[in-house]
Amino acid sequence: MSSAIPTRRAVRVTRSTAIKDNENANARPSRIATRSKPPSGTGGAPAASGLGGVTRATAASRAKSITGGDVKADPTAVKRKREALGEVTMNNKPRTAITKGKEKENSKETFDGVVLKAKPAATRQPLRTVGTKQIAKPAASHVAQKEKEVRVAPVKRDTKAAPTKDDHAMAVDPPVIPSLVKRGSLPARDVRQPSKWLSTRESRSKLQAQAEEDDVEDHRDMKRRRTSSEPPEDPRAAEEARVQAEEAALAARISAELEAYADEVEADPEDSPWDDLDADDVDDPLMVSEYVVDIFKYLRQVELTTMPNPHYMESQKELAWKMRGILMDWLIQVHVRFRLLPETLFLCVNLIDRFLSARVVSLAKLQLVGVTCLFIASKFEEVISPSVSHFLLCADSTYTESEILQAERYVLKTLDWNLGYPNPVHYLRRVSKADGYDVKVRTLAKYLLEISCLEWRLLAAPPSLMAAASIWLSRLALGYEQWTPNLAHYSGYAESALVPTANIMLNYILKPIRHESFHKKYAGKRYYKSSIYMREWALDRWPEETQVNLAHELPRLKVEIRLEREQMERQLQAEQGAGAEER
């Protein structure tokens, strides 16, 4: 029967002649030939075929690698090596548990086939008692020792003396009170013979009452002695007493200052003697000293016409003062990013408040109003204004370019194209001239002045008043408590008129930080870290979220400033004196 499966033709593998030029010409040896190849360690023995040969060769190679010597082809030699290896590796066997106590003398150990006798364990000697000196207990006090002797030791009777009637009446003698003996109330012979002085019950009761009183006095004396040995006073209590004394002295001085402050009547700044600082700028045409007085008089009149309604949020249905603060904080961030002038920011805020006072705006259009007003202010104040596309990028393309341009026309038409807003920065520079252009005072005043962009309670204050109040509060925080006649004249406000506006600024600083962009802007070195300094100065004097009444706190603050100045002067004099001695 023939099968349909074709028979496989055996192909003989022939090794062709190696070609030197082609590296692939040599045929690759098969795996069978490699396995059947005899190992190098077998010498000239023929290769074992099949699985047995592989096993022997592998065993021989392993034995060689472990023992480190040459292995013969004889399989018995490999077997002996494996047994010897098994004898050496004794560490794999489990160790026998060592019994406590004495070891057996006949215990033996084997190592490499040699029996070793173990040394007999030394017998354990019993522990010896080490003689130690007994530590003497501290001696008791003389009074306690005497009391113990009197109470414990039995009273000896005089057997020679004839027993009296009282002695037979008492079965047990009463204990002798040591306090009476100690104080000298009773003689020593009466202690030894109490029956002679305890004759009647009345005398016993009197003596017992007297003894109790003496014991109470002794207890008081001992208590006094114990308290005298303790530390004199608690350091905390002493520190508190010292602080209270200093506070009392400061309160007395403040009260005197309050009386003097109440008696003072502030004069009109125009009537106070002041220096004409504009006369020094006659030769400078940029300062226009001839018209500067008339210019600021005109600005004081115009600022009343550009004031927004301080209560316009009551007519807004979807807005709140908190939303206005968030919008202003974002506009400050955009203002810093574009590096615009400070006049641009204040004009933008004024345009927003005036527009919201005239029109009702939905919450969805509030950001559009803010972007549009900043765009208008930058075109009015800046030399090179950012384009509309830049403002669109800042607004994350929420609105289109046509919407911003249309909103610009609508805002200008609502405000009747009136952009003549007297900027508070102009007043700040005018007052800073009377302050000698102190850089730190003016930088700190810029921070306080910008609070009006965020705090809605300052909407009712005109720009000139906000500038003067910021200068006054910054000087107070830096240690200049006097409002000089020059400052009063060039600002146009007396000190009493500045306190309410400055009080609102101070209460804003004492609140928790809500506007991060504004706080971060003035926390840098460029502005002398004004936001951090003012917050630390306020929190050092009042707790957070405190509504401060600055009119009542002002005399105390002035006294503190004077005390600090006097202390600094004393330290400076001491340092100068020490430097002169070293020279």
Side-chain angles (χ1 to χ4, degrees), residues 495-517:
E495 185 178 14
S496 58
L498 303 175
V499 173
T501 306
N503 196 3
I504 298 174
M505 298 178 180
L506 180 61
N507 289 334
Y508 173 83
I509 295 170
L510 287 172
K511 292 179 182 178
I513 299 173
R514 295 174 295 174
H515 307 105
E516 294 290 341
S517 300

